């Protein structure tokens, strides 16, 4: 069972999450012989700004100016980078929010479900074998070929539940 719910819902040194994500991305791109260009890195860094999914417009907004060159970064450039990051499995698209979030465990094959807080917007990515097996078997019985699996669950994270200040089990 994979999950990043502890980090997604509780305060922590998020700089470490960003650093780890960028390091992983670089390693995976090197291993896959694809280029992790500065713009791709900047888009990934922007998406990893928090554990809340970010819409494409917000990403474009954040990226409006290239700090290094002072040049405007155009939306199509950003969209192409988003496509690249999706293809590489470095980010996921949350359909119900039409937004993107960094994957905490890229490079290891996983089928996701997301616990999305409707109050603060934080999304924790999880993957659990029993769930994946159930879906696989059900699809098989229906002779259905699964191509992608994204389950999005809405609710309240521990921080946002009014009567729970204890936090959740880790
Ligand atoms: Zn973090
Ligand atoms: Zn993932
Ligand atoms: Zn919340």
């Amino acid at each position: 069972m994979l999950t990043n719910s502890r980090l997604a819902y509780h305060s922590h040194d998020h700089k470490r999450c960003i650093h780890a994500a960028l390091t992983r991305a670089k390693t995976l791109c090197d291993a896959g012989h694809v280029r992790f260009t500065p713009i791709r890195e900047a888009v990934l860094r922007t998406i990893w700004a928090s554990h809340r999914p970010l819409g494409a417009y917000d990403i474009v907004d954040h990226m409006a100016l290239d700090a290094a060159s002072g040049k405007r970064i155009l939306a199509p450039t950003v969209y192409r980078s988003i496509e690249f990051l999706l293809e590489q499995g470095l980010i996921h698209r949350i359909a119900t929010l039409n937004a993107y979030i960094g994957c905490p465990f890229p490079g290891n094959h996983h089928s996701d479900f997301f616990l999305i807080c409707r109050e603060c917007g934080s999304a924790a990515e999880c993957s659990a074998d029993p769930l994946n097996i159930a879906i696989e078997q059900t699809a098989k019985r229906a002779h259905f070929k699964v191509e992608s699996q994204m389950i999005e669950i809405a609710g309240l994270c521990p921080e946002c539940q009014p009567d729970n200040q204890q936090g959740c089990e880790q």
Side-chain angles (χ1 to χ4, degrees):
M1 158 97 182
L2 296 167
T3 176
N4 71 330
S5 64
R6 203 171 61 80
L7 290 175
Y9 302 142
H10 299 275
S11 60
H12 61 281
D13 182 5
H14 185 62
K15 282 199 291 290
R16 295 172 67 166
C17 298
I18 298 174
H19 180 77
L22 293 176
T23 308
R24 276 194 306 263
K26 198 181 171 337
T27 309
L28 284 171
C29 287
D30 284 352
H33 304 290
V34 290
R35 289 180 60 219
F36 193 46
T37 60
I39 180 93
R40 288 168 174 173
E41 180 174 347
V43 170
L44 186 61
R45 186 190 296 275
T46 301
I47 293 171
W48 266 102
S50 76
H51 289 277
R52 283 183 285 280
L54 213 53
Y57 289 125
D58 295 320
I59 300 169
V60 170
D61 266 2
H62 281 275
M63 305 267 321
L65 217 59
D66 182 343
S69 67
K71 279 199 298 235
R72 265 195 82 71
I73 299 172
L74 300 175
T77 310
V78 176
Y79 295 149
R80 276 197 300 274
S81 291
I82 292 173
E83 280 306 313
F84 170 83
L85 296 172
L86 279 171
E87 277 164 25
Q88 300 300 319
L90 295 168
I91 60 172
H92 297 296
R93 180 169 174 272
I94 306 282
T96 50
L97 303 173
N98 192 16
Y100 303 91
I101 189 160
C103 175
F105 15 81
N108 102 0
H109 183 77
H110 57 285
S111 301
D112 312 293
F113 63 99
F114 287 86
L115 305 176
I116 305 166
C117 178
R118 61 174 164 79
E119 195 64 36
C120 69
S122 290
E125 181 173 337
C126 316
S127 185
D129 286 342
L131 181 66
N132 295 335
I133 291 165
I135 290 169
E136 214 170 276
Q137 288 175 344
T138 307
K140 205 170 176 183
R141 273 200 297 275
H143 302 285
F144 183 88
K145 189 176 176 301
V146 176
E147 290 180 337
S148 74
Q149 174 191 324
M150 290 285 280
I151 303 166
E152 301 174 16
I153 298 158
L156 286 174
C157 81
E159 301 275 297
C160 295
Q161 292 168 36
D163 48 14
N164 178 7
Q165 300 304 319
Q166 258 88 277
C168 67
E169 44 89 39
Q170 317 284 296

